[in-house]
Amino acid sequence: MPNKATAPRDSSAAAVVASALVELSGYEADPATKQHHTEAARDILTSLASPAYAPRRPAFAAMLQHGTQHFPSGWADTGIMFGDYYFVEALNRYEKAGNSTAAFMSG
């Protein structure tokens, strides 16, 4: 297991968490907790939509870069279809919950 300083990033895991947080917020009765989940999802989506994770060049085959599929096999720091899927799912859930995704796509 790599230490925190050298561990690869995993944009696909972040996309899964963002999608789950939006989904959880829809079931939350406590307004403060609901807002916390929504804001955490927003922060993750903001990061994933940035040029650091979502390159604006057509030569890159995936929407998100810096995914890690299986670190021991060297499948790290790449685009992964699962990350793209959950990123789009999270954006859709976020928008269906009444939030705007326009700011994520303006970079």
Side-chain angles (χ1 to χ4, degrees):
M1 176 66 85
N3 69 40
K4 190 174 183 177
T6 61
R9 296 174 280 183
D10 190 358
S11 58
S12 57
V16 170
V17 171
S19 184
L21 285 168
V22 176
E23 182 72 13
L24 284 172
S25 73
Y27 298 107
E28 185 55 59
D30 177 48
T33 304
K34 180 182 180 94
Q35 181 178 355
H36 176 75
H37 290 333
T38 301
E39 289 174 356
R42 182 203 60 220
D43 292 346
I44 294 169
L45 290 170
T46 299
S47 179
L48 290 176
S50 73
Y53 288 94
R56 306 309 199 263
R57 61 184 194 271
F60 196 75
M63 292 174 67
L64 295 177
Q65 57 188 6
H66 305 304
T68 297
Q69 189 166 1
H70 191 253
F71 182 75
S73 296
W75 301 341
D77 201 24
T78 187
I80 301 173
M81 69 178 175
F82 306 110
D84 292 351
Y85 173 86
Y86 284 104
F87 180 56
V88 171
E89 180 181 81
L91 291 170
N92 284 332
R93 284 181 172 175
Y94 190 81
E95 198 163 78
K96 284 182 181 179
N99 305 295
S100 173
T101 59
F104 304 137
M105 300 299 123
S106 63

